[in-house]
């Protein structure tokens, strides 16, 4: 079996997974997305050019790499074609390199409307979704009335029946307006024609590739703390962003996953609602937000910012079996007089070091900080550990000890080249 790795988010998303996947992509033959939809926003800079990927795996910028969208992903046809066309305009040929699971579910035009409505009905308790219809598409999947790519490509009568049933379900929820099923059906048929060459049994395709000795990288979207089961429920995404999603979302066996790399920022951010124990406000939050350009790639929303939370990353390490971390955005901390690391929470007179499930507990959790001295020499663009200021090295060491995972990669800027690969680390051993 070739060596296949997973790259996934260890915090609340936006950790810079796109950059890390793109950087490691030359070592693999395929990059496969296993969950989520076009709510993801992976920004990759290559020689000053900016590429924002939502649905298409971040391996697409490497011509020899096959990009796979698994059955665990929900596909919005319009968003998919927009992204393919945009990449085409930027000189990246997608055709012939993209494969989409015929079992993937389709996001229907009114899923977006349902998303907005559901958030409005929650009022104060809104989740802070991207309103792209992702959640409602997963609801239809679990409700067993979803429409899959193979349905779109199959028998017209069966598709018409499925669309009628799905539109009826929508009409029962949104009573203010009645939708006609026929235009939805016609659009789906047109979509099918364009997607047909890309549709595949991706489980079979990946099995064949592995059989031929070709390695695959599994790319996570969102992150562990947004996982529907292991995240801060209900302020989560609708899919399994953690490692378990790979098996169900692509049809690959657990043994196919040889290594797991967690991507974590050198601080913490989250977009949308829900708990964030180390959240800062005031000038320090602004400093991190501006320094790290913490605005959503998909929605432009400002991200909430806080110090590195080792309780969170240790939890992610356990859930995913992380072999190592790729620590990103170290450069954003340049110039701060001190950099605290959260090593536990004080809750009701007790110190907790395991991430709690109960959000009421989490809401009362007060971070316990270990404050490390900052550094003034810039780390931006540094490519070797020994070029880092000693205080930055000590910060990384303390963060590793508190999280229980080694930092195999340290990212010091948004470009591929601005990365430290630690000699002797697992990543250096995986990809000599
Ligand atoms: P993803 O969804 O996990 O891929 O993360 P995003 O793309 O939403 O956000 C990461 C952002 O941080 C992108 O704009 C990257 O170009 C940028 N980025 C990644 N690594 C670094 C780094 O080490 N330093 C800085 N300053 N920016 C980085």
């Amino acid at each position: 079996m070739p060596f296949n790795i997973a790259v996934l988010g260890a915090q609340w998303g936006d950790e810079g997974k796109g950059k890390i996947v793109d950087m490691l992509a030359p070592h693999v033959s395929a990059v496969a997305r296993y969950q989520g939809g076009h709510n993801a926003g992976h920004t990759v800079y290559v020689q000053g050019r900016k590429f924002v990927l939502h649905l298409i795996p971040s391996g697409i910028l490497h011509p020899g790499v096959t990009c796979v969208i698994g059955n665990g992903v929900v596909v919005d046809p319009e968003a998919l074609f927009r992204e393919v066309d945009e990449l085409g305009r930027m000189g990246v040929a997608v055709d012939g390199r993209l494969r989409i699971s015929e079992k993937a579910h389709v996001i229907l035009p009114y899923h977006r409307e349902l998303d907005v409505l559901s958030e409005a009905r929650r009022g104060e308790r809104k989740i802070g979704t991207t309103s792209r219809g992702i959640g409602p598409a997963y609801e239809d999947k679990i409700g067993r009335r979803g429409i899959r790519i193979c349905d779109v490509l199959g028998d017209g009568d069966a598709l018409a029946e499925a669309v009628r049933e799905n539109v009826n379900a929508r009409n029962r929820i949104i009573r203010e307006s009645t939708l006609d099923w026929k235009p939805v059906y016609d659009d789906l048929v047109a979509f099918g024609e364009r997607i047909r060459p890309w549709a595949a049994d991706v489980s079979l395709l990946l099995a064949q590739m592995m059989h031929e000795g070709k390695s695959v990288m599994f790319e996570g979207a969102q992150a562990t703390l947004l996982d529907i089961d292991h995240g801060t429920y209900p302020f989560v995404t609708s899919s399994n962003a953690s490692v378990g999603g790979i098996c169900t979302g692509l049809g690959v066996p657990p043994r196919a996953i040889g290594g797991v790399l967690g991507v974590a920022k050198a601080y913490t951010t989250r977009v949308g609602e829900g708990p964030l124990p180390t959240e800062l406000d005031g000038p320090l939050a602004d400093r991190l937000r501006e320094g790290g350009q913490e605005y959503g790639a998909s929605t432009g929303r400002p991200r909430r910012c806080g110090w590195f939370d080792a309780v969170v990353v240790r939890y992610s390490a356990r859930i995913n079996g992380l072999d190592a971390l790729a620590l990103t955005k170290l450069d954003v901390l340049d110039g701060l007089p001190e950099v605290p690391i959260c090593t536990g929470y004080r809750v009701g007179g007790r110190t907790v070091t395991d991430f709690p499930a109960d959000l009421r507990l989490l809401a009362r959790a007060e971070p316990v900080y270990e404050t490390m001295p900052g550094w003034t020499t810039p780390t931006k663009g540094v490519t070797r550990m020994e070029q880092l200021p000693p205080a930055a090295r000590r910060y990384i060491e303390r963060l590793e000890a508190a999280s229980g995972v080694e930092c195999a990669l340290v990212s010091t800027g948004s470009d591929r080249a601005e990365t430290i690969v630690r000699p002797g680390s697992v990543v250096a051993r995986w990809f000599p």
Side-chain angles (χ1 to χ4, degrees):
M1 175 97 64
F3 193 70
N4 309 310
I5 70 157
V7 177
L8 46 82
Q11 297 162 319
W12 275 281
D14 310 309
E15 296 95 345
K17 298 176 289 293
K19 169 187 162 162
I20 302 298
V21 170
D22 167 71
M23 191 206 129
L24 296 175
H27 299 284
V28 300
S29 300
V31 177
R33 274 272 308 265
Y34 55 91
Q35 45 70 237
H38 64 300
N39 51 345
H42 298 165
T43 314
V44 182
Y45 285 90
V46 184
Q47 286 160 353
R49 290 181 82 205
K50 180 178 176 180
F51 297 86
V52 182
L53 302 160
H54 298 285
L55 192 56
I56 296 183
S58 307
I60 201 74
L61 305 179
H62 298 269
V65 174
T66 300
C67 287
V68 175
I69 294 179
N71 58 282
V73 175
V74 285
V75 178
D76 179 326
E78 237 185 272
L80 172 70
F81 297 142
R82 210 182 314 126
E83 197 167 328
V84 169
D85 293 343
E86 177 59 24
L87 281 167
R89 272 192 294 278
M90 295 189 74
V92 181
V94 173
D95 261 317
R97 293 174 48 213
L98 184 65
R99 292 288 175 275
I100 303 182
S101 168
E102 48 197 15
K103 293 186 219 161
H105 282 245
V106 176
I107 299 179
L108 297 161
Y110 43 89
H111 279 145
R112 199 188 165 100
E113 201 184 347
L114 289 168
D115 211 344
V116 174
L117 188 75
S118 141
E119 283 283 84
R121 285 185 181 162
R122 291 180 72 94
E124 287 280 284
R125 292 191 60 249
K126 73 177 198 303
I127 309 289
T129 75
T130 52
S131 304
R132 303 232 157 134
I134 315 281
Y138 278 114
E139 281 179 41
D140 276 1
K141 172 178 176 174
I142 302 299
R144 292 168 290 193
R145 57 178 173 268
I147 293 177
R148 301 180 298 167
I149 304 270
C150 59
D151 303 326
V152 175
L153 299 178
D155 172 66
D157 290 340
L159 176 64
E161 183 54 37
V163 172
R164 262 200 300 267
E165 199 183 308
N166 199 287
V167 170
N168 283 341
R170 177 264 176 218
N171 287 341
R172 283 194 294 273
I173 302 172
I174 306 180
R175 288 165 186 264
E176 296 80 17
S177 66
T178 305
L179 195 73
D180 180 11
W181 68 276
K182 189 63 170 56
V184 177
Y185 169 83
D186 291 341
D187 283 353
L188 279 176
V189 171
F191 157 59
E193 285 324 303
R194 190 161 176 203
I195 207 159
R196 197 177 291 279
W198 298 331
D201 180 335
V202 307
S203 163
L204 182 63
L205 171 82
L206 292 174
Q208 281 166 344
M209 289 185 83
M210 293 177 206
H211 185 71
E212 290 163 16
K214 296 178 175 160
S215 14
V216 179
M217 179 156 42
F218 307 112
E219 176 182 14
Q222 292 89 39
T224 306
L225 275 291
L226 292 173
D227 183 285
I228 181 86
D229 284 281
H230 300 293
T232 44
Y233 188 90
F235 302 101
V236 290
T237 197
S238 303
S239 57
N240 286 114
S242 62
V243 75
I246 296 172
C247 298
T248 54
L250 284 162
V252 299
R255 262 190 276 258
I257 310 166
V260 187
L261 183 64
V263 187
K265 271 181 216 188
Y267 49 98
T268 311
T269 64
R270 117 166 257 173
V271 72
E273 310 300 317
L276 179 61
T278 61
E279 183 165 15
L280 295 166
D281 54 17
L284 268 174
D286 296 342
R287 163 73 180 69
L288 291 177
R289 190 175 304 111
E290 292 311 313
Q293 279 302 297
E294 298 298 351
Y295 298 91
S298 277
T299 58
R301 288 185 288 183
R303 296 177 186 144
R304 298 154 62 195
C305 299
W307 298 123
F308 186 85
D309 188 337
V311 181
V312 162
V313 175
R314 203 164 46 235
Y315 173 72
S316 274
R318 165 158 57 88
I319 298 281
N320 297 302
L322 296 185
D323 292 294
L325 286 179
L327 188 72
T328 59
K329 298 193 143 184
L330 181 70
D331 54 297
V332 174
L333 303 179
D334 288 355
L336 286 168
E338 43 188 38
V339 222
I341 296 174
C342 168
T343 56
Y345 306 141
R346 290 291 293 171
V347 189
R350 284 187 315 125
T351 302
V352 176
T353 52
D354 290 314
F355 195 76
D358 186 343
L359 295 202
R360 280 162 306 189
L361 256 172
L362 212 48
R364 287 192 284 124
E366 285 189 26
V368 177
Y369 287 116
E370 236 176 80
T371 299
M372 305 294 292
W375 51 92
T376 45
T377 316
T379 65
K380 169 91 175 105
V382 164
T383 55
R384 301 171 69 89
M385 220 43 205
E386 54 276 19
Q387 292 167 343
L388 287 179
R393 285 206 296 265
R394 277 195 295 275
Y395 176 69
I396 295 172
E397 279 160 19
R398 187 64 199 103
L399 176 158
E400 288 178 312
S403 312
V405 211
E406 72 158 345
C407 295
L409 300 178
V410 179
S411 170
T412 56
S414 49
D415 201 90
R416 263 180 210 167
E418 296 173 307
T419 316
I420 303 171
V421 183
R422 300 268 292 274
S425 68
V426 293
V427 172
R429 289 202 296 277
W430 290 343
F431 305 118

